[in-house]
Amino acid sequence: MTAQFYHLYVERIDPKKNMARYYAMSIEPNLFGETCLIRRWGRIGATGQRREHHFAREEEAVSLFLQLLRKRRSRGYKPKPYIRQDASGDR
């Protein structure tokens, strides 16, 4: 069972290179009690790709999560700025 929830969504946007990419990761338990690191990536607005890594221990999943986070940050991925919406749904 996963003790903590881990979720990450980062983007890399460079209009000069026509680049608009996203990278998302989360650590979740599966139905068999294993800890899974789920990764999704691709062009913003597209379905992209998905990969799952299964671990017997949460610590192993967290280690890979942090390793991948460092790699994405070094390549220029940044968290998407939060846009607050009021009760009516307008910006």
Side-chain angles (χ1 to χ4, degrees):
M1 184 79 178
T2 305
Q4 279 188 291
F5 292 101
Y6 293 88
H7 181 75
L8 173 73
Y9 179 85
V10 290
E11 293 180 345
R12 182 176 176 192
I13 299 172
D14 187 350
K16 295 175 193 169
K17 296 180 181 179
N18 192 27
M19 181 188 304
R21 299 179 182 164
Y22 72 91
Y23 194 85
M25 291 189 293
S26 62
I27 296 177
E28 305 171 11
N30 68 8
L31 295 174
F32 305 107
E34 295 176 320
T35 301
C36 294
L37 171 62
I38 302 169
R39 301 190 295 157
R40 294 180 296 116
W41 68 92
R43 185 160 178 88
I44 295 172
T47 304
Q49 298 182 37
R50 175 185 167 112
R51 181 152 187 207
E52 292 186 19
H53 303 269
H54 301 272
F55 299 95
R57 297 179 35 226
E58 181 179 354
E59 293 82 12
E60 296 168 343
V62 171
S63 177
L64 181 57
F65 184 97
L66 295 173
Q67 177 184 350
L68 292 168
L69 171 59
R70 282 189 295 273
K71 185 176 182 179
R72 296 300 165 237
R73 295 289 300 220
S74 72
R75 291 187 176 177
Y77 283 82
K78 295 184 168 105
K80 181 178 179 182
Y82 176 73
I83 300 172
R84 185 175 177 273
Q85 294 182 355
D86 62 14
S88 66
D90 297 330
R91 290 184 186 186

